[in-house]
């Protein structure tokens, strides 16, 4: 999909969602007199999906600044948002992101520990709610089978020969690749553009701050203490204006003396 990757060492797969991972991340420290700065795109793939699919409900949800997963849960379960439980929200989140990755009912049932029929019902309810997303996915399948490739928002092309296969499993893989490439690939392009914009803006202003690492939707920078306040504004402005979408790009920034505290 065009995401950057690293190896020897693979710094992008240092765990973060458990106690051991956080302890490992604490080993990555800034130099004395400097601080680490994390700038993270908020739900960039859902924002790209809203932009590309032009789905009216998804566009409005994101523009309103409400919790997308809670809103999806309320629509799928047909109840007021304030009645949505954390478990329902977690299910809706799995469906929201599962759609992007072409998750099947079988995979969703396995992930959520629910029956396959319930998983199928959730996916059907999602597409019934977000009809524009469903149309985008179906149109992507048709267009990719005809052309043999898909393109990201910035015009980067990826050929998907699997989608023309006579084997059902291979064809399904091709369909997942096609949709995921457009969404995740476009998000990856936006991040690369943002990196260039941030680097250029920092250079123009003569800052000593430098980009250390990019982890999918997040940039890690190292900034001298005296620069960090101004740099936060520069980074936020450049990343949120890296590409014009129909919904705003949002960035959250945190700082800390080590990676575990970001």
């Amino acid at each position: 999909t065009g995401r950057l990757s690293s190896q020897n060492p693979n710094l992008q797969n240092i765990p973060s969602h458990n106690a051991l991972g956080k302890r490992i991340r604490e080993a990555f420290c800034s130099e004395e007199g400097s601080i680490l700065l994390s700038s993270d795109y908020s739900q960039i793939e859902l924002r790209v999906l809203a932009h590309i699919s032009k789905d009216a409900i998804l566009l409005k949800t994101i523009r309103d600044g409400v919790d997308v997963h809670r809103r999806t849960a309320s629509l799928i379960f047909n109840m007021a948002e304030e009645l949505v439980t954390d478990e329902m929200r977690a299910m809706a989140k799995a469906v929201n992101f599962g759609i992007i990755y072409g998750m099947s009912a079988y995979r969703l049932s396995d992930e959520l520990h629910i029956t396959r029929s319930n998983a199928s019902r959730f996916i059907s309810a999602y597409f019934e709610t977000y009809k524009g997303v469903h149309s985008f996915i179906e149109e992507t399948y048709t267009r990719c089978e005809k052309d043999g490739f898909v393109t990201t928002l910035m015009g980067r092309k990826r050929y998907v020969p699997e989608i023309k296969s006579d084997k059902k499993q291979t064809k399904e893989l091709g369909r997942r690749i096609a949709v995921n490439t457009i969404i995740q690939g476009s998000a990856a392009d936006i991040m690369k553009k943002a990196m260039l914009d941030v680097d250029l803006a920092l250079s123009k202003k003569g800052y000593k701050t430098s980009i250390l690492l990019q982890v999918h939707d997040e940039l890690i920078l190292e900034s001298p203490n005296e620069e960090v306040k101004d740099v936060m504004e520069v980074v936020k402005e450049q990343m949120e204006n890296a590409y014009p979408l129909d919904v705003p790009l949002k960035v959250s920034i945190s700082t800390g003396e080590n990676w575990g505290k970001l």
Side-chain angles (χ1 to χ4, degrees), residues 34-250:
S34 294
I35 197 166
L36 296 183
L37 186 153
S38 164
S39 187
D40 191 11
Y41 275 123
S42 171
Q43 299 177 336
I44 187 173
E45 289 168 1
L46 289 179
R47 293 171 190 272
V48 168
L49 176 61
H51 174 85
I52 294 174
S53 69
K54 309 299 182 192
D55 184 276
I57 293 177
L58 189 54
L59 284 168
K60 185 177 188 310
T61 298
I62 293 174
R63 285 170 181 159
D64 289 347
V66 301
D67 184 328
V68 178
H69 306 312
R70 193 166 295 279
R71 174 68 58 84
T72 297
S74 76
L75 294 169
I76 288 178
F77 292 105
N78 193 26
M79 62 172 58
E81 286 182 41
E82 57 268 21
L83 298 178
V84 170
T85 65
D86 289 343
E87 185 181 11
M88 289 175 176
R89 183 187 181 279
M91 287 183 174
K93 183 177 180 179
V95 176
N96 272 334
F97 286 112
I99 295 301
I100 294 172
Y101 300 115
M103 188 182 288
S104 64
Y106 176 81
R107 173 82 185 276
L108 186 64
S109 69
D110 189 50
E111 184 165 313
L112 296 179
H113 307 294
I114 58 176
T115 64
R116 200 179 304 181
S117 61
N118 272 342
S120 295
R121 186 167 57 82
F122 286 151
I123 292 173
S124 296
Y126 178 95
F127 283 135
E128 187 60 34
T129 300
Y130 298 112
K131 291 184 172 68
V133 173
H134 188 244
S135 297
F136 154 69
I137 290 173
E138 291 299 320
E139 287 165 11
T140 297
Y141 293 161
T142 302
R143 190 168 60 251
C144 187
E145 282 192 44
K146 176 177 173 289
D147 299 337
F149 63 86
V150 292
T151 55
T152 65
L153 278 174
M154 294 190 187
R156 187 163 51 80
K157 185 183 292 186
R158 180 179 182 181
Y159 287 92
V160 190
E162 295 89 346
I163 204 166
K164 295 190 177 185
S165 174
D166 293 330
K167 295 179 181 177
K168 184 182 177 183
Q169 199 169 357
T170 305
K171 191 180 190 70
E172 287 300 316
L173 171 63
R175 287 181 160 192
R176 289 196 299 273
I177 290 171
V179 173
N180 189 31
T181 294
I182 295 174
I183 300 168
Q184 195 178 86
S186 294
D189 288 352
I190 291 170
M191 173 53 92
K192 289 175 184 174
K193 170 71 164 44
M195 289 172 70
L196 293 171
D197 291 349
V198 167
D199 185 63
L200 183 61
L202 293 174
S203 297
K204 278 185 174 179
K205 292 179 182 290
Y207 290 130
K208 294 178 181 177
T209 297
S210 59
I211 299 173
L212 292 182
L213 180 68
Q214 183 261 333
V215 186
H216 307 319
D217 303 333
E218 176 187 19
L219 280 187
I220 311 276
L221 302 95
E222 185 172 36
S223 180
N225 291 333
E226 64 273 12
E227 289 183 5
V228 69
K229 222 173 199 179
D230 293 333
V231 164
M232 286 170 71
E233 293 180 12
V234 171
V235 172
K236 185 177 176 69
E237 181 185 2
Q238 295 302 320
M239 288 183 69
E240 290 187 343
N241 292 283
Y243 190 87
L245 296 179
D246 290 339
V247 291
L249 284 168
K250 289 292 182 185

